[in-house]
Amino acid sequence: MQFDLSTLETSTLVFIGTLVFAFILAAFVLAAGLVALVLLGAGKLTWAVVATTLLAVVHGINAGWDRLVRRASTADVAGDFQGQGSPSTGTYPRVILRDS
């Protein structure tokens, strides 16, 4: 038994062609939607990685700064800087007023 397209009416062929075209169009729309979802997922993953990395860097900088400040606050600086006596001219101050 052979199938002969010449026995079909024109309206039936138009209907079958419309169904085939609709199937092709639906497949294209589904593929485009799938590609959009993949790109959206990749973008979200990239954003999550970048945001996590930036937060980790900022947290590391803050922790390092906190350690530095705590170490500096416990350091004994009195022994490092010896007070110097200022040279004096006796009873006169260092600034000499010329026109007085």
Side-chain angles (χ1 to χ4, degrees):
M1 182 170 153
Q2 292 184 350
F3 184 70
D4 189 13
L5 286 177
S6 63
T7 60
L8 294 176
E9 291 186 20
T10 306
S11 61
T12 306
L13 289 175
V14 169
F15 180 72
I16 291 173
T18 304
L19 286 179
V20 170
F21 182 73
F23 176 75
I24 292 172
L25 188 62
F28 176 76
V29 168
L30 286 174
L34 181 64
V35 168
L37 285 174
V38 167
L39 289 176
L40 184 66
K44 186 174 181 180
L45 177 66
T46 303
W47 173 250
V49 168
V50 167
T52 303
T53 303
L54 286 176
L55 285 173
V57 167
V58 169
H59 178 71
I61 290 171
N62 285 339
W65 183 256
D66 189 40
R67 256 183 288 154
L68 181 69
V69 168
R70 286 182 192 272
R71 188 184 321 169
S73 68
T74 60
D76 182 25
V77 294
D80 293 342
F81 300 104
Q82 299 294 329
Q84 289 183 335
S86 60
S88 72
T89 57
T91 58
Y92 297 104
R94 283 193 73 156
V95 178
I96 299 173
L97 301 175
R98 294 180 185 238
D99 293 335
S100 60

